Amino acid sequence: MTLKKITIGLFILILSCISWLIFENPTRFEQKFSNTATIVENTIDTIAPKPTKILKDGLPNRYLIEAPFVEQAPEKNWDQPWQDACEEAGLLTVDYFYKNITPSPQDIKQSILDMIDYEKLQKWKIDININQMQQISEKYLGYNSEILINPSVEEIKKYISKNIPIVVPANGKTLYRENKHFKNGGPEYHVVVILGYNDDKSQFTVHDVGTQFGKYFRYSYNLLLEANHNLPESGNKKEIDSGSKEMLILLK
């Protein structure tokens, strides 16, 4: 199949989706169109990816780690503990990637519950900070780990280009500015996993575990760095912007 035929087919698909969405519910058209456009863009990138360039710093201008998508609410149940299971889902995203496992929703559910049982033994609260995530990485999952302090775009790119995902604690209210799939304006404290970057668009590609549309979601470089905050020492999520700018890597 030629690229021209693929492009025509995708164009027809977009038009069909637009017509159906407008007829179905005009008030939901804008959001659904955004979802469709993202899916189509990802499909085009997969079918006909743009050439990768090696920059002066030796890094490719774009890179993507393919990892399983781990939703923090694998059965779409948002009662506790799933409402606050983003930290566990983020760590499991990296764990499953390193182990080359494609988990079922049941696998994810049980793995999250088992990790929460470990946290209860430590007498931790529901929300855990990056130091506690590091302990889980080392003592529970068995990895070496490192906390990146105030990381730059270039430092993040260096790890991603080496197939090392990065776990990012963040202010979900800030993320909401580019991710309208969150409810109630986004969570006060959230975790995403960086899997890729694209210098042409100045965007990171992440698995955002807090929404079913979070697979390979894209946040701009500036916004994700702005959103990055560890849970503050007070443990008060409302003070998230006072938390340090730190990210976590797990190392095999």
Side-chain angles (χ1 to χ4, degrees):
M1 182 179 292
T2 66
L3 180 59
K4 182 177 180 181
K5 290 182 179 179
I6 293 173
T7 303
I8 293 173
L10 289 173
F11 180 71
I12 294 173
L13 172 62
I14 293 172
L15 290 179
S16 299
C17 289
I18 291 173
S19 300
W20 177 75
L21 291 172
I22 293 175
F23 178 78
E24 180 202 28
N25 191 335
T27 61
R28 297 173 61 192
F29 166 72
E30 182 177 353
Q31 183 62 65
K32 285 181 173 289
F33 177 74
S34 175
N35 297 343
T36 303
T38 299
I39 293 171
V40 171
E41 182 179 4
N42 289 339
T43 302
I44 292 174
D45 281 348
T46 301
I47 295 173
K50 297 178 182 178
T52 298
K53 301 176 184 178
I54 303 300
L55 306 177
K56 290 182 180 180
D57 58 10
L59 298 175
N61 69 321
R62 51 191 285 157
Y63 199 88
L64 181 64
I65 299 169
E66 295 185 10
F69 181 50
V70 179
E71 293 183 65
Q72 69 182 74
E75 295 180 335
K76 307 300 186 291
N77 174 8
W78 286 93
D79 296 334
Q80 292 291 7
W82 316 110
Q83 183 68 35
D84 291 301
C86 57
E87 302 99 312
E88 294 80 8
L91 292 172
L92 288 170
T93 297
V94 183
D95 185 44
Y96 288 137
F97 166 68
Y98 282 151
K99 293 177 179 176
N100 196 27
I101 293 174
T102 302
S104 68
Q106 292 72 30
D107 293 331
I108 295 171
K109 177 182 178 180
Q110 191 58 55
S111 294
I112 289 176
L113 291 174
D114 289 345
M115 191 176 291
I116 290 175
D117 284 343
Y118 172 83
E119 294 166 11
K120 289 179 178 178
L121 289 175
Q122 314 309 309
K123 301 186 184 304
W124 294 344
K125 296 180 179 179
I126 292 177
D127 294 307
I128 58 175
N129 61 35
I130 199 167
N131 299 99
Q132 292 165 324
M133 284 189 276
Q134 183 178 38
Q135 179 175 324
I136 293 172
S137 303
E138 297 180 351
K139 304 295 185 181
Y140 181 78
L141 295 175
Y143 295 98
N144 295 320
S145 66
E146 181 180 344
I147 293 177
L148 310 179
I149 308 297
N150 198 25
S152 65
V153 172
E154 291 304 313
E155 185 177 8
I156 292 169
K157 288 166 54 180
K158 287 178 182 178
Y159 284 108
I160 295 300
S161 64
K162 294 177 182 178
N163 285 325
I164 300 174
I166 301 177
V167 179
V168 183
N171 182 337
K173 303 288 185 186
T174 302
L175 297 178
Y176 181 76
R177 301 208 310 253
E178 292 184 356
N179 185 355
K180 301 304 183 184
H181 298 299
F182 292 123
K183 294 182 179 179
N184 303 317
E188 292 169 318
Y189 178 56
H190 193 45
V191 166
V192 301
V193 182
I194 302 178
L195 297 172
Y197 65 85
N198 186 331
D199 282 339
D200 295 335
K201 297 181 179 180
S202 295
Q203 290 178 329
F204 290 118
T205 301
V206 310
H207 275 352
D208 191 319
V209 301
T211 164
Q212 62 180 320
F213 302 106
K215 185 176 183 180
Y216 299 120
F217 194 87
R218 293 163 180 163
Y219 289 111
S220 66
Y221 288 166
N222 289 339
L223 182 120
L224 191 55
L225 290 180
E226 178 186 345
N228 171 221
H229 288 284
N230 184 24
L231 187 69
E233 292 185 7
S234 66
N236 186 349
K237 293 186 286 189
K238 294 185 181 302
E239 300 173 356
I240 184 65
D241 283 340
S242 68
S244 55
K245 290 188 173 294
E246 299 177 88
M247 301 181 183
L248 177 67
I249 57 172
L250 281 60
L251 303 168
K252 293 190 292 184

